[in-house]
Amino acid sequence: QARPDRLAGVVTGAEAPPLPPMHAVEENRADLWATGLSPDSHPVQFLRDVLVSDGVVAAAGLPEVVDGDRVKVAGLVTHRQRPATAGGTLFLNLEDETGLMNIICSKGVWARYRRVARAAPALVVTGTLEKVEGVINVVAARIERLDLSTPLRSRDFR
């Protein structure tokens, strides 16, 4: 198959060289890059041990938290919304490997943490847990960036 228009030693149909397997984080990153989702892992799950040691509660654990208690949650930002009828209140949705979380940001909290809250693809939110008619929200008091190794984007203000 060698010809002047082909590189020497390159043969079509030859066996590919063995490569080392990807680590779970690399596989997750590749899945998200290629398709926008990962069928068997979530970027936040790789940080769960660190998050737990920092007092972060997973979405699945929020029903166990007492209404009115201070809570810390973390996840990917899936939505940022500011309805015209909300009087300046902004709503975020965070997602971790166990589910979704509703975050309510007052006008003041949004003004204080706007830079990080608007730009970061993943956040750590500290606030007060609110349970109203079976719906669980976190009323934000502090917002911090959650550093992930995977570049992601949220659906914002649409």
Side-chain angles (χ1 to χ4, degrees):
Q1 294 179 343
R3 297 189 309 215
D5 64 333
R6 297 198 179 179
L7 292 173
V10 177
V11 179
T12 306
E15 204 170 302
L19 298 173
M22 295 172 102
H23 297 287
V25 173
E26 294 170 322
E27 194 170 323
N28 177 263
R29 188 179 308 134
D31 286 344
L32 291 170
W33 172 83
T35 66
L37 56 96
S38 180
D40 57 2
S41 61
H42 192 280
V44 176
Q45 83 183 52
F46 303 110
L47 301 173
R48 183 53 57 195
D49 290 340
V50 173
L51 293 172
V52 167
S53 69
D54 195 30
V56 173
V57 178
L62 290 178
E64 308 306 318
V65 178
V66 175
D67 182 36
D69 277 2
R70 194 124 172 111
V71 68
K72 192 184 245 189
V73 296
L76 306 178
V77 179
T78 62
H79 293 81
R80 292 177 179 93
Q81 299 174 335
R82 183 182 300 172
T85 58
T89 301
L90 187 110
F91 302 93
L92 303 173
N93 290 99
L94 299 185
E95 176 189 70
D96 69 12
E97 73 277 19
T98 69
L100 295 169
M101 297 164 275
N102 300 319
I103 311 296
I104 300 172
C105 298
S106 68
K107 195 186 267 190
V109 167
W110 181 254
R112 182 171 185 183
Y113 296 105
R114 177 185 173 114
R115 279 192 176 175
V116 67
R118 185 169 186 149
L123 299 171
V124 177
V125 176
T126 304
T128 304
L129 190 81
E130 176 183 84
K131 294 181 182 179
V132 178
E133 298 178 10
V135 177
I136 298 175
N137 300 307
V138 176
V139 180
R142 179 179 174 87
I143 301 173
E144 303 168 76
R145 178 183 193 88
L146 175 62
D147 290 320
L148 297 173
S149 62
T150 306
L152 297 165
R153 292 181 17 193
S154 63
R155 295 179 289 277
D156 296 335
F157 308 112
R158 294 186 192 138

